[in-house]
Amino acid sequence: NRFKGDSLARFSLSANLGWNEGGRFDSTFRETFGGEGNLENAIDRRFENEGQKVNGRSNADFQRRLRKKGRTLSLNATVNGEMQDRLGVLRSFNTVYPVITAPLTDSIRQEQTQDNEQMSYKVSARYTEPLAGKNFLKISYERSNATDLIDQGVFDLFPERVENLMLSNRYRRG
């Protein structure tokens, strides 16, 4: 048997895949002076960040005109997904220059990790039935779901690598 195209039916399928990778380096030095010109605060901050991201999407669509004029059936399904990983390192030296005492210096050395996974789907069905004149009855059904998994860790690096639970965050949705 030979397959013949059906002008009453349409089917489409599409898929996309993307990938990104990048990094960033920020360096800041800032000083704050009081009204009399005396140094009050100095900040020396360096932040390095690198990461990668992969995402994908696929979609299937089917539409069929049925025997009666105006009667149609449509089906659709979509799936999306994304994975993202990042790593950053923060080094900061903050110095306060009080008027009476010696300068006070505090430092921050932290590593920040972030892993995100997202997945979602959506399916739908639609049926159209012509009624009298230009009136139509449309029946639709749709279902969707999304899940996210977030794992963000912050680690203090001095004197050793220890997770900072006040700044770390982990959760799952869906």
Side-chain angles (χ1 to χ4, degrees):
N1 290 336
R2 292 174 64 189
F3 176 76
K4 291 186 179 182
D6 187 350
S7 65
L8 301 177
R10 182 179 63 87
F11 178 74
S12 66
L13 181 63
S14 65
N16 299 317
L17 182 64
W19 180 71
N20 279 333
E21 185 173 42
R24 179 177 148 182
F25 176 77
D26 288 330
S27 180
T28 305
F29 181 78
R30 182 174 46 221
E31 293 178 324
T32 305
F33 293 89
E36 298 174 6
N38 55 324
L39 183 61
E40 292 182 351
N41 185 313
I43 298 171
D44 185 5
R45 179 183 184 271
R46 291 178 182 85
F47 181 71
E48 299 175 53
N49 182 336
E50 62 183 37
Q52 55 193 8
K53 177 171 129 176
V54 176
N55 57 9
R57 174 186 167 95
S58 61
N59 185 62
D61 191 29
F62 174 77
Q63 186 174 27
R64 170 104 178 152
R65 291 187 313 188
L66 303 174
R67 292 180 191 235
K68 187 175 180 183
K69 184 177 180 179
R71 184 181 290 169
T72 60
L73 175 66
S74 299
L75 306 171
N76 180 273
T78 302
V79 177
N80 295 307
E82 179 176 299
M83 293 186 308
Q84 186 174 182
D85 298 318
R86 291 185 185 180
L87 172 65
V89 177
L90 170 66
R91 292 180 185 92
S92 181
F93 297 96
N94 305 311
T95 305
V96 177
Y97 298 92
V99 176
I100 300 172
T101 62
L104 305 169
T105 300
D106 190 15
S107 66
I108 297 173
R109 290 184 60 209
Q110 289 180 332
E111 178 182 276
Q112 301 167 3
T113 62
Q114 187 170 352
D115 297 324
N116 298 344
E117 295 179 16
Q118 300 173 336
M119 182 67 93
S120 66
Y121 75 86
K122 177 180 169 182
V123 292
S124 63
R126 290 180 179 80
Y127 175 77
T128 303
E129 178 69 31
L131 301 175
K134 294 186 178 187
N135 297 315
F136 292 89
L137 171 66
K138 293 185 179 185
I139 300 170
S140 299
Y141 173 78
E142 187 172 291
R143 178 164 175 91
S144 62
N145 189 27
T147 59
D148 296 317
L149 178 59
I150 306 294
D151 184 355
Q152 181 176 3
V154 177
F155 301 88
D156 294 323
L157 299 177
F158 184 78
E160 60 187 48
R161 188 177 189 265
V162 176
E163 185 170 11
N164 186 327
L165 297 175
M166 296 294 289
L167 299 176
S168 296
N169 188 16
R170 290 172 180 79
Y171 71 89
R172 180 181 192 98
R173 176 185 70 121

